Amino acid sequence: MRTSPEAIDEATRAPVPPPTAADGGPSPEGSGRDLIGGVPGGVFPAWVWKAAPFVVGAFVVAGLILRFVARSELWLDEALTVNIAQVPFGDLVDTLKRDGSPPLFYVLLHVWIDLFGDSNVAVRALSGIFAVATLPAMWFAGRRLGGRTVAWLAFLLLTLSPFAIRYATEARPYSLQILLVTLGVLALRRAFERPAPGRLAVVALVTGLLLYDAYWSLYLVGVTVVYLVVRSWRDAEPHPARRTLAAVIVGCATFIPWVPTFLHQLEHTGTPWATPIALTTATGRAVIEFGGGFVPAGWLMGPVLGLVALLGVFGVAIDRRRIELDLFTRPVTRHEAAVGFGTLLVGGGIAWVTAGAFEARYAAVVLPMYLLVAAVGLLAFASRELRMVVVVALLALGLAGGIEAASVDRTQAGEVADVVNSRAAPGDIVGFCPDQVGPAVARIVDADVDMLAWPDGASPEFVDWTDYAERNAATDPSAYAQILLDAAGDDGTVWLVWAAGYRTLEGSCEAVVTALQGARPDTETMVTGSDEFYEFQSLTRFGPREP
């Protein structure tokens, strides 16, 4: 019997449809069909369906483990985050003014470090816990979007999302942002169903927390406000949209005390390290990164997951072999797709126009909506067997990408620090050019040496992004080299940790090396920077002054 697209779309539109075998409820066999749903075709033998829950369970366990496994040392952003989080609360605002970030994650990490310490495992575990907490939130969001089948599919896609695994293993605010956005999707849908005061309060709370966690949330909240205004105007019953809009505005109001700091950061910090990219490039990069990045599994999973997400917006199953495209989009995913894509469009567009930065990690703000839409897109495969093949393929690719994300060496800092710790002597000086290579290495140097960062010999634990480009342009590389030489004296060795190619420092660190070589001919390259690392550093030794 031919199933109409209207009937399928109407079934997925209901907030909580009846748990039938067709939508993922108990099947007659009580087997793996429960997780997949769809129309049975009789292609797979019964044992395949009986084994399916165990296979899926193994994938889930692997996804959970990968959220707490990362062998790399902390790279710049992580080490800098940990260092900022450990300053006294009274100094946090001034420190963040020079960094350019909002405070929520740093406050939480400060408390976490007080309880569990600042080891690599400890500081990353906080992000891992946020990532695990996102999984049940995603299930409930998916259930409200399209029933139990969508709930399980969204849960599975998130469990083995290489992007989610990557940021679950980094001491950065993005895993918390993914959790808050997922809770926000759930809170908005609950508020639309019944805009009771408690539900609206949750919307306001999540809105405020998002703004204090990461600044790209500003784009998400702005697009959401526009969406709610349109709904308030167009809906036959506008009260839910209007009340939800009021709750979002209340949440935005909680950000007012931080606005002066935000404006200072906007004027003086920004992203001087970034190279602007076109909006189309930013969108393509986000799609690839959602699939695991620029590795073999990512090159395959990214486009496949993107195609499935497009089916979630436009595709409707006709029968087991045919999919119809609705160019006016499917109502069930129209709003998540519009807000998610709108956020990426606005954020990437502003970055392009203002010559600002777009990094794939900024797209964390749209990941939950992307995966929810993709989960609905899997319903376009009406055949249970075909849907299962696609799901297992995505999980296998996600596992491969997740292993890569968790195991990749993100920084060469460990190799550099090992040499300094084994070879440097008291009285030696370690310099860092640019200062951006300082936090990761300085964190793990335990030799009895003084460490002085570009451009003025400050502590390498922090990077002051205030008017960064102007300060670098005004610094004479030979002056910084002289700071290192004066600190080392005639008998001390200078160890320079450096890297070429950093934006706003073109040629500066190479000039520092040249100046040091002129003063200390006894020169030896101890570590050569390698592009096998996300963050690479070289280490050059300049021996004591010759008599």
Side-chain angles (χ1 to χ4, degrees), residues 9 312-316 325-335:
D9 208 52
V313 180
F314 301 106
V316 180
L325 297 181
D326 180 356
L327 297 183
F328 285 92
T329 72
R330 297 180 58 182
V332 65
T333 58
R334 184 173 296 158
H335 308 304

Side-chain angles (χ1 to χ4, degrees), residues 245-499:
L245 174 61
V248 171
I249 292 173
V250 170
C252 292
T254 65
F255 191 68
I256 292 175
W258 188 255
V259 168
T261 301
F262 170 66
L263 293 177
H264 180 276
Q265 294 169 331
L266 195 63
E267 181 179 359
H268 293 287
T269 56
T271 54
W273 41 265
T275 301
I277 62 174
L279 178 58
T280 52
T281 304
T283 303
R285 183 178 295 180
V287 169
I288 294 297
E289 290 289 346
F290 284 156
F294 297 93
V295 297
W299 278 114
L300 184 57
M301 183 179 180
V304 171
L305 188 61
L307 176 60
V308 171
L310 286 175
L311 289 176
V313 180
F314 301 106
V316 180
I318 298 301
D319 54 33
R320 295 181 65 251
R321 294 185 300 173
R322 290 178 293 177
I323 298 172
E324 183 175 88
L325 297 181
D326 180 356
L327 297 183
F328 285 92
T329 72
R330 297 180 58 182
V332 65
T333 58
R334 184 173 296 158
H335 308 304
E336 277 75 15
V339 172
F341 181 71
T343 299
L344 192 59
L345 187 67
V346 170
I350 290 175
W352 183 26
V353 170
T354 62
F358 176 84
E359 293 291 329
R361 57 184 178 267
Y362 298 164
V365 73
V366 304
L367 178 71
M369 291 170 283
Y370 186 78
L371 295 183
L372 284 166
V373 171
V376 174
L378 289 167
L379 299 184
F381 302 104
S383 165
R384 256 189 205 137
E385 288 76 11
L386 179 57
R387 187 183 299 170
M388 183 179 181
V389 169
V390 176
V391 170
V392 171
L394 286 172
L395 294 181
L397 290 171
L399 177 61
I403 291 173
E404 175 73 18
S407 61
V408 67
D409 278 325
R410 299 167 193 178
T411 177
Q412 209 167 350
E415 186 178 346
V416 170
D418 285 345
V419 175
V420 173
N421 290 335
S422 63
R423 298 285 301 274
D428 288 356
I429 298 298
V430 180
F432 298 91
C433 186
D435 46 355
Q436 295 177 54
V437 301
V441 177
R443 171 180 167 81
I444 49 178
V445 167
D446 55 22
D448 185 13
V449 293
D450 289 332
M451 296 184 284
L452 308 175
W454 167 278
D456 54 7
S459 168
E461 295 180 348
F462 301 95
V463 175
D464 186 352
W465 297 106
T466 305
D467 301 324
Y468 191 73
E470 293 82 355
R471 189 170 73 252
N472 287 334
T475 299
D476 180 1
S478 61
Y480 173 64
Q482 192 60 50
I483 290 174
L484 300 179
L485 293 170
D486 290 344
D490 291 341
D491 299 326
T493 294
V494 175
W495 303 81
L496 183 67
V497 183
W498 66 282

Side-chain angles (χ1 to χ4, degrees), residues 132-178:
V132 171
T134 307
L135 296 174
M138 179 63 83
W139 191 93
F140 283 106
R143 188 169 186 262
R144 275 210 153 56
L145 186 67
R148 290 181 60 206
T149 296
V150 173
W152 282 116
L153 293 173
F155 175 90
L156 293 174
L157 290 177
L158 179 62
T159 299
L160 279 172
S161 163
F163 188 94
I165 290 171
R166 167 65 187 266
Y167 294 104
T169 58
E170 284 204 356
R172 295 288 287 146
Y174 303 107
S175 188
L176 174 58
Q177 187 180 38
I178 293 170

